[in-house]
Amino acid sequence: MRVNCTVNGEKRQADDVWPGESLLYVLRERLGLPGSKNACEQGECGSCTVYLDGTPVCSCLVAAGQAEGRDVVTVEGLEFGRVQEAFLEAGAVQCGFCTPGLVVAVHDLLARNDKPSDPDIREALAGNLCRCTGYEKILDAVRLAAR
């Protein structure tokens, strides 16, 4: 099957997509966008989070065919700005595997709430797992980005 969608503002096409293929696989392997990470393939870790028509989704759970005619924004499509700078400044990037999903989640949070409380931050990041940190530097980064 062929999948046509807009990815990071550019019309893209993926050919020979099999019906059970995930959007994550298409983005990484067929379209050459490795930013979204393949960690759990179960929608539990958040590393593969992308925007689909403006809503954050775990791309490992989205069948590629569901993206037909839709708008996808990956971490590569987000303008480098206060969120990424805050992650670097706060030391919130360790191995980097969870970072793309966290950046998308924080970007979404700050688009909805520019002055999030700690409970707001924790709720927004609840679907993202980091195996390297105790999350405190990640929380610091979100607080810094929100200033």
Side-chain angles (χ1 to χ4, degrees):
M1 126 176 101
R2 174 177 288 158
V3 176
N4 294 287
C5 57
T6 302
V7 181
N8 300 331
E10 182 181 322
K11 297 237 183 257
R12 300 292 300 266
Q13 178 177 299
D15 292 319
D16 300 321
V17 176
W18 56 276
E21 208 163 285
S22 71
L23 177 58
L24 174 62
Y25 186 87
V26 167
L27 292 170
R28 290 181 57 82
E29 305 302 328
R30 297 190 183 277
L31 300 180
L33 295 167
S36 303
K37 303 301 182 207
N38 185 4
C40 74
E41 294 185 343
Q42 297 177 18
E44 296 291 328
C45 73
S47 294
C48 66
T49 303
V50 300
Y51 283 108
L52 183 61
D53 290 337
T55 301
V57 298
C58 291
S59 60
C60 71
L61 296 180
V62 177
Q66 290 180 289
E68 177 66 33
R70 298 176 76 183
D71 185 47
V72 178
V73 178
T74 69
V75 70
E76 292 98 336
L78 297 178
E79 183 176 317
F80 187 88
R82 65 181 179 158
V83 173
Q84 294 92 327
E85 289 171 1
F87 267 69
L88 293 172
E89 188 174 325
V93 177
Q94 290 198 12
C95 83
F97 212 78
C98 66
T99 306
L102 285 164
V103 166
V104 173
V106 173
H107 182 271
D108 182 63
L109 167 65
L110 296 179
R112 293 180 289 109
N113 180 355
D114 63 351
K115 293 189 180 12
S117 65
D118 276 7
D120 293 334
I121 295 168
R122 290 177 187 280
E123 182 178 338
L125 301 183
N128 296 81
L129 299 178
C130 175
R131 293 173 178 95
C132 299
T133 70
Y135 294 95
E136 201 54 45
K137 290 192 181 292
I138 294 168
L139 296 173
D140 290 343
V142 180
R143 292 180 197 113
L144 184 60
R147 284 193 202 138

